[in-house]
Amino acid sequence: MKKEIVITNEAPKAIGTYSQAVKAGNTVYLSGQIPLDPVSGEMVAGEIRAQITRVFDNLAAVAKAAGGSLQDVVKLNVFLTDLKNFPQVNEIMAQYFKEPYPARAAVGVAALPRAAQVEMDAVMVLSEKTRRKVAKGAKKPKSKAKKRR
């Protein structure tokens, strides 16, 4: 199966040896997002609510670049340096997702990159309708096949 790398300027550039997302068939694996501003590349200022919001915005931008939306997410993983912040994750998540909600895990961790308090990654499955819509708007590559004489 061919894999396609997803890249967007609407989310932070990868800060390591990984891609923002990888599409394999109709499944898209979104890499972990921390609360980096996509323009400045710096951590967002403010308390945990601002960080959680930025992470969801970053995931939404990558999902859009892959041809979907957060509504196509089937699995969400949340990593928090303090599980006391989980109620804020639930509250803000309700602003980004509608029922049926994706499956989810929440894990308390000792530390995250760049001293972030939250990181999230996701798995998204594009519906056939979404895939056709994206394919219809996409430019087809020119064939490299040689003409027979």
Side-chain angles (χ1 to χ4, degrees):
M1 177 177 300
K2 183 182 125 185
K3 65 181 180 181
E4 178 184 336
I5 304 303
V6 178
I7 302 170
T8 179
N9 291 329
E10 302 299 314
K13 291 182 168 116
I15 57 174
T17 54
Y18 63 92
S19 301
Q20 289 172 320
V22 176
K23 188 187 297 187
N26 65 338
T27 304
V28 184
Y29 300 89
L30 290 80
S31 290
Q33 289 289 327
I34 60 174
L36 292 176
D37 178 270
V39 176
S40 70
E42 299 297 321
M43 293 288 291
V44 296
E47 44 86 36
I48 187 66
R49 298 176 70 73
Q51 288 198 16
I52 295 166
T53 299
R54 179 76 260 164
V55 169
F56 278 124
D57 287 344
N58 291 345
L59 283 174
V62 176
K64 181 179 177 185
S69 74
L70 292 181
Q71 284 308 120
D72 297 307
V73 169
V74 296
K75 178 69 164 91
L76 181 69
N77 294 310
V78 180
F79 305 94
L80 292 162
T81 57
D82 188 344
L83 286 173
K84 290 180 186 171
N85 292 320
F86 196 68
Q88 289 92 328
V89 171
N90 278 330
E91 181 184 330
I92 296 168
M93 184 175 169
Q95 297 169 24
Y96 287 85
F97 291 86
K98 294 180 240 164
E99 290 188 46
Y101 299 117
R104 182 179 70 187
V107 180
V109 296
L112 290 167
R114 311 263 307 261
Q117 296 178 62
V118 61
E119 180 174 359
M120 295 181 212
D121 69 9
V123 177
M124 179 171 77
V125 176
L126 301 175
S127 68
E128 193 60 38
K129 180 179 175 184
T130 303
R131 289 180 66 204
R132 280 194 301 265
K133 185 175 164 184
V134 170
K136 188 176 181 182
K139 293 182 181 178
K140 293 183 180 180
K142 292 182 181 181
S143 175
K144 293 182 181 182
K146 294 181 181 180
K147 293 181 183 178
R148 292 187 180 189
R149 293 183 182 207

